[in-house]
mmCIF file with all atom_site columns, all heavy atoms in Angstrom:
data_model
loop_
_atom_site.group_PDB
_atom_site.id
_atom_site.type_symbol
_atom_site.label_atom_id
_atom_site.label_alt_id
_atom_site.label_comp_id
_atom_site.label_asym_id
_atom_site.label_entity_id
_atom_site.label_seq_id
_atom_site.pdbx_PDB_ins_code
_atom_site.Cartn_x
_atom_site.Cartn_y
_atom_site.Cartn_z
_atom_site.occupancy
_atom_site.B_iso_or_equiv
_atom_site.pdbx_formal_charge
_atom_site.auth_seq_id
_atom_site.auth_comp_id
_atom_site.auth_asym_id
_atom_site.auth_atom_id
_atom_site.pdbx_PDB_model_num
ATOM 1  N N   . GLY J 1 73 ? 172.473 -19.297 -28.219 1.00 0.00 ? 1114 GLY J N   1
ATOM 2  C CA  . GLY J 1 73 ? 171.314 -20.059 -27.743 1.00 0.00 ? 1114 GLY J CA  1
ATOM 3  C C   . GLY J 1 73 ? 171.662 -21.020 -26.611 1.00 0.00 ? 1114 GLY J C   1
ATOM 4  O O   . GLY J 1 73 ? 170.941 -21.978 -26.375 1.00 0.00 ? 1114 GLY J O   1
ATOM 5  N N   . ALA J 1 74 ? 172.781 -20.751 -25.918 1.00 0.00 ? 1115 ALA J N   1
ATOM 6  C CA  . ALA J 1 74 ? 173.242 -21.717 -24.917 1.00 0.00 ? 1115 ALA J CA  1
ATOM 7  C C   . ALA J 1 74 ? 172.245 -21.930 -23.779 1.00 0.00 ? 1115 ALA J C   1
ATOM 8  O O   . ALA J 1 74 ? 172.174 -22.996 -23.205 1.00 0.00 ? 1115 ALA J O   1
ATOM 9  C CB  . ALA J 1 74 ? 174.598 -21.258 -24.357 1.00 0.00 ? 1115 ALA J CB  1
ATOM 10 N N   . ARG J 1 75 ? 171.491 -20.891 -23.469 1.00 0.00 ? 1116 ARG J N   1
ATOM 11 C CA  . ARG J 1 75 ? 170.485 -20.972 -22.422 1.00 0.00 ? 1116 ARG J CA  1
ATOM 12 C C   . ARG J 1 75 ? 169.216 -20.244 -22.877 1.00 0.00 ? 1116 ARG J C   1
ATOM 13 O O   . ARG J 1 75 ? 169.282 -19.321 -23.686 1.00 0.00 ? 1116 ARG J O   1
ATOM 14 C CB  . ARG J 1 75 ? 170.985 -20.328 -21.104 1.00 0.00 ? 1116 ARG J CB  1
ATOM 15 C CG  . ARG J 1 75 ? 172.262 -20.929 -20.523 1.00 0.00 ? 1116 ARG J CG  1
ATOM 16 C CD  . ARG J 1 75 ? 172.049 -22.334 -19.998 1.00 0.00 ? 1116 ARG J CD  1
ATOM 17 N NE  . ARG J 1 75 ? 173.246 -22.857 -19.367 1.00 0.00 ? 1116 ARG J NE  1
ATOM 18 C CZ  . ARG J 1 75 ? 174.197 -23.547 -19.994 1.00 0.00 ? 1116 ARG J CZ  1
ATOM 19 N NH1 . ARG J 1 75 ? 174.089 -23.792 -21.291 1.00 0.00 ? 1116 ARG J NH1 1
ATOM 20 N NH2 . ARG J 1 75 ? 175.249 -24.018 -19.327 1.00 0.00 ? 1116 ARG J NH2 1
ATOM 21 N N   . GLY J 1 76 ? 168.085 -20.662 -22.326 1.00 0.00 ? 1117 GLY J N   1
ATOM 22 C CA  . GLY J 1 76 ? 166.850 -19.979 -22.627 1.00 0.00 ? 1117 GLY J CA  1
ATOM 23 C C   . GLY J 1 76 ? 166.279 -20.313 -23.973 1.00 0.00 ? 1117 GLY J C   1
ATOM 24 O O   . GLY J 1 76 ? 166.451 -21.428 -24.482 1.00 0.00 ? 1117 GLY J O   1
ATOM 25 N N   . TYR J 1 77 ? 165.598 -19.348 -24.586 1.00 0.00 ? 1118 TYR J N   1
ATOM 26 C CA  . TYR J 1 77 ? 164.743 -19.566 -25.756 1.00 0.00 ? 1118 TYR J CA  1
ATOM 27 C C   . TYR J 1 77 ? 165.438 -19.171 -27.064 1.00 0.00 ? 1118 TYR J C   1
ATOM 28 O O   . TYR J 1 77 ? 166.100 -18.130 -27.133 1.00 0.00 ? 1118 TYR J O   1
ATOM 29 C CB  . TYR J 1 77 ? 163.467 -18.742 -25.579 1.00 0.00 ? 1118 TYR J CB  1
ATOM 30 C CG  . TYR J 1 77 ? 162.518 -18.773 -26.750 1.00 0.00 ? 1118 TYR J CG  1
ATOM 31 C CD1 . TYR J 1 77 ? 161.878 -19.957 -27.123 1.00 0.00 ? 1118 TYR J CD1 1
ATOM 32 C CD2 . TYR J 1 77 ? 162.260 -17.615 -27.474 1.00 0.00 ? 1118 TYR J CD2 1
ATOM 33 C CE1 . TYR J 1 77 ? 160.991 -19.975 -28.198 1.00 0.00 ? 1118 TYR J CE1 1
ATOM 34 C CE2 . TYR J 1 77 ? 161.355 -17.630 -28.538 1.00 0.00 ? 1118 TYR J CE2 1
ATOM 35 C CZ  . TYR J 1 77 ? 160.746 -18.807 -28.913 1.00 0.00 ? 1118 TYR J CZ  1
ATOM 36 O OH  . TYR J 1 77 ? 159.869 -18.835 -29.957 1.00 0.00 ? 1118 TYR J OH  1
ATOM 37 N N   . THR J 1 78 ? 165.255 -20.010 -28.081 1.00 0.00 ? 1119 THR J N   1
ATOM 38 C CA  . THR J 1 78 ? 165.684 -19.674 -29.446 1.00 0.00 ? 1119 THR J CA  1
ATOM 39 C C   . THR J 1 78 ? 164.462 -19.690 -30.352 1.00 0.00 ? 1119 THR J C   1
ATOM 40 O O   . THR J 1 78 ? 163.808 -20.741 -30.485 1.00 0.00 ? 1119 THR J O   1
ATOM 41 C CB  . THR J 1 78 ? 166.739 -20.648 -29.962 1.00 0.00 ? 1119 THR J CB  1
ATOM 42 O OG1 . THR J 1 78 ? 167.915 -20.531 -29.153 1.00 0.00 ? 1119 THR J OG1 1
ATOM 43 C CG2 . THR J 1 78 ? 167.115 -20.341 -31.411 1.00 0.00 ? 1119 THR J CG2 1
ATOM 44 N N   . PRO J 1 79 ? 164.120 -18.565 -30.989 1.00 0.00 ? 1120 PRO J N   1
ATOM 45 C CA  . PRO J 1 79 ? 162.903 -18.494 -31.785 1.00 0.00 ? 1120 PRO J CA  1
ATOM 46 C C   . PRO J 1 79 ? 163.026 -19.218 -33.111 1.00 0.00 ? 1120 PRO J C   1
ATOM 47 O O   . PRO J 1 79 ? 164.092 -19.697 -33.507 1.00 0.00 ? 1120 PRO J O   1
ATOM 48 C CB  . PRO J 1 79 ? 162.739 -16.970 -32.036 1.00 0.00 ? 1120 PRO J CB  1
ATOM 49 C CG  . PRO J 1 79 ? 163.644 -16.290 -31.079 1.00 0.00 ? 1120 PRO J CG  1
ATOM 50 C CD  . PRO J 1 79 ? 164.769 -17.251 -30.812 1.00 0.00 ? 1120 PRO J CD  1
ATOM 51 N N   . PHE J 1 80 ? 161.907 -19.253 -33.844 1.00 0.00 ? 1121 PHE J N   1
ATOM 52 C CA  . PHE J 1 80 ? 161.863 -19.811 -35.193 1.00 0.00 ? 1121 PHE J CA  1
ATOM 53 C C   . PHE J 1 80 ? 162.823 -19.057 -36.106 1.00 0.00 ? 1121 PHE J C   1
ATOM 54 O O   . PHE J 1 80 ? 163.102 -17.887 -35.938 1.00 0.00 ? 1121 PHE J O   1
ATOM 55 C CB  . PHE J 1 80 ? 160.443 -19.702 -35.782 1.00 0.00 ? 1121 PHE J CB  1
ATOM 56 C CG  . PHE J 1 80 ? 159.423 -20.511 -35.066 1.00 0.00 ? 1121 PHE J CG  1
ATOM 57 C CD1 . PHE J 1 80 ? 158.424 -19.892 -34.308 1.00 0.00 ? 1121 PHE J CD1 1
ATOM 58 C CD2 . PHE J 1 80 ? 159.435 -21.895 -35.128 1.00 0.00 ? 1121 PHE J CD2 1
ATOM 59 C CE1 . PHE J 1 80 ? 157.457 -20.643 -33.648 1.00 0.00 ? 1121 PHE J CE1 1
ATOM 60 C CE2 . PHE J 1 80 ? 158.476 -22.653 -34.466 1.00 0.00 ? 1121 PHE J CE2 1
ATOM 61 C CZ  . PHE J 1 80 ? 157.485 -22.016 -33.747 1.00 0.00 ? 1121 PHE J CZ  1
ATOM 62 N N   . GLY J 1 81 ? 163.300 -19.772 -37.132 1.00 0.00 ? 1122 GLY J N   1
ATOM 63 C CA  . GLY J 1 81 ? 164.020 -19.127 -38.220 1.00 0.00 ? 1122 GLY J CA  1
ATOM 64 C C   . GLY J 1 81 ? 165.464 -18.817 -37.948 1.00 0.00 ? 1122 GLY J C   1
ATOM 65 O O   . GLY J 1 81 ? 166.076 -18.050 -38.707 1.00 0.00 ? 1122 GLY J O   1
ATOM 66 N N   . ILE J 1 82 ? 166.070 -19.408 -36.900 1.00 0.00 ? 1123 ILE J N   1
ATOM 67 C CA  . ILE J 1 82 ? 167.458 -19.117 -36.597 1.00 0.00 ? 1123 ILE J CA  1
ATOM 68 C C   . ILE J 1 82 ? 168.350 -20.309 -36.937 1.00 0.00 ? 1123 ILE J C   1
ATOM 69 O O   . ILE J 1 82 ? 169.222 -20.212 -37.795 1.00 0.00 ? 1123 ILE J O   1
ATOM 70 C CB  . ILE J 1 82 ? 167.617 -18.696 -35.118 1.00 0.00 ? 1123 ILE J CB  1
ATOM 71 C CG1 . ILE J 1 82 ? 166.912 -17.354 -34.882 1.00 0.00 ? 1123 ILE J CG1 1
ATOM 72 C CG2 . ILE J 1 82 ? 169.104 -18.605 -34.736 1.00 0.00 ? 1123 ILE J CG2 1
ATOM 73 C CD1 . ILE J 1 82 ? 167.043 -16.817 -33.482 1.00 0.00 ? 1123 ILE J CD1 1
ATOM 74 N N   . GLU J 1 83 ? 168.159 -21.453 -36.267 1.00 0.00 ? 1124 GLU J N   1
ATOM 75 C CA  . GLU J 1 83 ? 169.071 -22.575 -36.525 1.00 0.00 ? 1124 GLU J CA  1
ATOM 76 C C   . GLU J 1 83 ? 168.875 -23.096 -37.940 1.00 0.00 ? 1124 GLU J C   1
ATOM 77 O O   . GLU J 1 83 ? 167.750 -23.348 -38.398 1.00 0.00 ? 1124 GLU J O   1
ATOM 78 C CB  . GLU J 1 83 ? 168.864 -23.706 -35.534 1.00 0.00 ? 1124 GLU J CB  1
ATOM 79 C CG  . GLU J 1 83 ? 169.875 -24.829 -35.765 1.00 0.00 ? 1124 GLU J CG  1
ATOM 80 C CD  . GLU J 1 83 ? 169.899 -25.887 -34.668 1.00 0.00 ? 1124 GLU J CD  1
ATOM 81 O OE1 . GLU J 1 83 ? 169.196 -25.734 -33.677 1.00 0.00 ? 1124 GLU J OE1 1
ATOM 82 O OE2 . GLU J 1 83 ? 170.640 -26.852 -34.857 1.00 0.00 ? 1124 GLU J OE2 1
ATOM 83 N N   . THR J 1 84 ? 169.998 -23.261 -38.611 1.00 0.00 ? 1125 THR J N   1
ATOM 84 C CA  . THR J 1 84 ? 169.994 -23.720 -40.005 1.00 0.00 ? 1125 THR J CA  1
ATOM 85 C C   . THR J 1 84 ? 171.037 -24.833 -40.154 1.00 0.00 ? 1125 THR J C   1
ATOM 86 O O   . THR J 1 84 ? 172.209 -24.639 -39.799 1.00 0.00 ? 1125 THR J O   1
ATOM 87 C CB  . THR J 1 84 ? 170.355 -22.562 -40.968 1.00 0.00 ? 1125 THR J CB  1
ATOM 88 O OG1 . THR J 1 84 ? 169.458 -21.484 -40.729 1.00 0.00 ? 1125 THR J OG1 1
ATOM 89 C CG2 . THR J 1 84 ? 170.266 -23.004 -42.401 1.00 0.00 ? 1125 THR J CG2 1
ATOM 90 N N   . ALA J 1 85 ? 170.623 -25.991 -40.621 1.00 0.00 ? 1126 ALA J N   1
ATOM 91 C CA  . ALA J 1 85 ? 171.565 -27.103 -40.794 1.00 0.00 ? 1126 ALA J CA  1
ATOM 92 C C   . ALA J 1 85 ? 172.709 -26.663 -41.713 1.00 0.00 ? 1126 ALA J C   1
ATOM 93 O O   . ALA J 1 85 ? 172.501 -25.897 -42.652 1.00 0.00 ? 1126 ALA J O   1
ATOM 94 C CB  . ALA J 1 85 ? 170.845 -28.310 -41.364 1.00 0.00 ? 1126 ALA J CB  1
#
Side-chain angles (χ1 to χ4, degrees):
R1116 302 290 184 270
Y1118 175 66
T1119 296
F1121 295 111
I1123 294 182
E1124 183 170 356
T1125 305

